[in-house]
Amino acid sequence: MPSDEDSMVVTPYEVKGDIDYDKLVKQFGAELIDAALLKRFEKHAGELHYLLRRGVYFSHRDMKWVFDELEKGNPFFLYNGRGPSGHTHIGHLTQFIFTKYMQDKFQVPFYFQLTDDEKFVHNFEMTLEQTNFFARENALDLIAMGFEPDKTHIIIDSEHAGTLYPLAIRVAKRITFSTVRATFGFTNSHNIGQIFYTSFQAVPSILHSVRVGRNVPCVIPLAIDQDAHFRVARDVLPKIGYFSPAILHSKFLPGLQQGGKMSASDPESAVFTVDPPKVIEKKLRNAFTGGRGNAAEQRKLGGNPDICSIFANYQLVFMPEDDKLGEIERRCRSGEMLCGECKGICIELATEYLTKHQERREEARDKIEDFLLKDP
Ligand code: TYM
């Protein structure tokens, strides 16, 4: 029998097995977010975001240094991204929600990379026109979250190559094939676009420093699957004269089916930001929960929110208020509320949230140009 550690795989290109986050932190050489770090967040931001309070962002690299620099008067900038293989799902939204909180509280520049090149080289089914189309669709979701246009710079790799390429080759020169092979599990049959790509993902972590002409710390919120790119980048960037970016790792919003991963290429695994109300309702009605075999048993024993995909949706996106979430949890565990009622509440909240998001998303169509990074 393979151990958990053997069967668990978490890379940007494969997530499988039961995810043990504590093991991952050790395996990747990161650090758990502790009470002292949360205190510093609270002190500087004025309040702790619910995704920090609930331990969804749970691990980090170099955030203590980021706060040290901030206290010395050297604030950071933010960097985040999305691989446009399809529409944005609710899991991706958690990253946008958290980054928005960081921009609001710290009033710092934010670079957002849309990797139409990455999704093209990694997916033989998709043309570059398709990944570029989804890059612009995903940009609408970001803009709809209310980021500030004068502080937010959207990068589309295939369109901003003139800015990125001279920096990417400086990074690429320092990364050996054996490093990417070991980091991503590449073999001889991977194409050379895949092998080169990580140097493109590294670049926005220094782009602000390059633009302002001095080293500025960079903070990257992401789910832990993306860590591999930055393990490589963090080794290389100091060698070419820049800071290593600091990282904030989040857990995943689980897929809607039991044990399943949320995937942009599997429409049933997730609610997408463009789903109409009927589709939202159908997906959430069919979602895996922590309910018992029948109503009588559940009334007696209670449900289990720890394994429930509906509860995870509340926790990560649709229920920021701790008191409301606590009440849902209490009613579930005590057997007072059954899954049908709980799903109904989730459907109502998700529909309201996404209907508003979809309106703002349409308004964003006229704003994309304001947000695109202006090449020098
Ligand atoms: P992508 O498009 O796979 O994912 C975008 C971001 O969403 C996170 N994520 C999730 N978070 C919570 N729950 C989930 N179920 C879930 N699924 C995905 C990812 O970890 C990621 O943070 N190569 C990248 C694009 C990229 C990028 C970056 C991401 C370029 N530069 C900098 C983060 C930071 C990609 O394909 O992400």
Side-chain angles (χ1 to χ4, degrees):
M1 278 290 281
S3 71
D4 275 0
E5 202 160 2
D6 294 332
S7 54
M8 174 176 73
V9 176
V10 178
T11 78
Y13 304 114
E14 191 177 17
V15 177
K16 69 170 197 202
D18 284 341
I19 300 172
D20 180 331
Y21 289 104
D22 288 334
K23 268 191 193 154
L24 272 185
V25 170
K26 283 200 193 104
Q27 201 176 305
F28 290 174
E31 226 182 302
L32 289 173
I33 295 177
D34 61 11
L37 190 62
L38 287 178
K39 267 217 163 70
R40 290 183 89 179
F41 254 109
E42 193 167 8
K43 178 178 149 209
H44 289 291
E47 62 173 322
L48 268 190
H49 194 266
Y50 72 87
L51 290 169
L52 284 168
R53 286 200 305 270
R54 295 175 187 172
V56 175
Y57 283 86
F58 71 106
S59 153
H60 75 104
R61 297 181 187 278
D62 279 346
M63 280 307 294
K64 293 176 192 160
W65 165 76
V66 165
F67 285 125
D68 290 345
E69 288 296 305
L70 183 69
E71 284 160 14
K72 283 190 238 158
N74 190 17
F76 58 90
F77 72 98
L78 290 160
Y79 164 34
N80 203 324
R82 158 90 184 110
S85 56
H87 280 297
T88 304
H89 62 50
I90 302 298
H92 303 132
L93 269 195
T94 57
Q95 307 300 329
F96 297 0
I97 291 169
F98 186 73
T99 308
K100 171 82 167 67
Y101 151 83
M102 293 288 283
Q103 187 180 63
D104 286 350
K105 296 297 177 192
F106 294 95
Q107 288 294 311
V108 290
F110 167 37
Y111 291 75
F112 183 71
Q113 181 180 37
L114 286 157
T115 59
D116 55 348
D117 56 340
E118 176 192 20
K119 293 300 153 178
F120 172 63
V121 296
H122 273 277
N123 189 337
F124 272 97
E125 319 280 90
M126 291 187 88
T127 64
L128 190 54
E129 288 70 25
Q130 285 168 326
T131 58
N132 183 261
F133 167 80
F134 280 118
R136 286 176 171 264
E137 287 293 304
N138 295 169
L140 300 178
D141 290 303
L142 187 88
I143 296 168
M145 303 299 292
F147 285 96
E148 294 186 29
D150 55 335
K151 290 199 187 67
T152 304
H153 310 284
I154 297 180
I155 301 162
I156 302 180
D157 281 356
S158 70
E159 299 178 30
H160 288 95
T163 299
L164 302 182
Y165 190 69
L167 297 167
I169 50 171
R170 290 186 169 93
V171 175
K173 192 174 177 177
R174 304 277 182 156
I175 305 175
T176 63
F177 176 46
S178 78
T179 297
V180 285
R181 192 171 46 196
T183 310
F184 299 101
F186 290 161
T187 63
N188 283 354
S189 54
H190 282 82
N191 66 59
I192 60 173
Q194 292 170 301
I195 294 162
F196 177 72
Y197 167 72
T198 202
S199 49
F200 251 60
Q201 185 153 329
V203 168
S205 31
I206 57 170
L207 193 53
H208 190 66
S209 302
V210 172
R211 294 177 91 214
V212 299
R214 72 187 153 80
N215 261 339
V216 182
C218 172
V219 173
I220 315 177
L222 40 72
I224 197 159
D225 62 323
Q226 291 296 316
D227 187 66
H229 287 297
F230 297 107
R231 289 201 295 279
V232 175
R234 281 170 49 86
D235 269 357
V236 169
L237 295 176
K239 295 179 189 156
I240 61 168
Y242 295 98
F243 290 146
S244 292
I247 312 286
L248 280 163
H249 298 113
S250 83
K251 298 178 183 171
F252 299 105
L253 178 63
L256 292 174
Q257 280 101 39
Q258 183 170 18
K261 179 191 172 308
M262 196 166 263
S263 164
S265 45
D266 175 3
E268 293 309 310
S269 69
V271 172
F272 289 79
T273 59
V274 295
D275 283 346
K278 284 230 154 1
V279 174
I280 299 171
E281 178 168 5
K282 182 172 150 270
K283 286 181 181 175
L284 294 177
R285 276 279 165 225
N286 292 335
F288 171 74
T289 69
R292 305 276 171 181
N294 60 53
E297 213 182 305
Q298 192 160 340
R299 292 237 182 262
K300 196 165 145 217
L301 301 171
N304 181 3
D306 302 335
I307 57 163
C308 175
S309 71
I310 294 287
F311 190 74
N313 270 270
Y314 285 136
Q315 250 184 331
L316 271 67
V317 185
F318 299 124
M319 204 169 269
E321 308 88 347
D322 288 346
D323 52 344
K324 286 192 188 159
L325 188 75
E327 183 60 5
I328 292 271
E329 182 172 358
R330 187 196 64 73
R331 295 184 66 217
C332 168
R333 285 195 199 279
S334 67
E336 186 182 312
M337 176 174 66
L338 301 186
C339 296
E341 182 189 345
C342 187
K343 282 177 171 175
I345 299 170
C346 192
I347 290 165
E348 208 173 298
L349 288 177
T351 307
E352 193 191 326
Y353 185 105
L354 291 173
T355 305
K356 283 193 195 132
H357 180 85
Q358 286 164 12
E359 280 167 23
R360 290 194 301 265
R361 202 179 175 279
E362 284 314 304
E363 288 160 19
R365 288 195 189 275
D366 297 333
K367 300 183 193 158
I368 291 194
E369 296 309 317
D370 300 342
F371 280 85
L372 288 180
L373 177 78
K374 309 291 173 287
D375 276 317

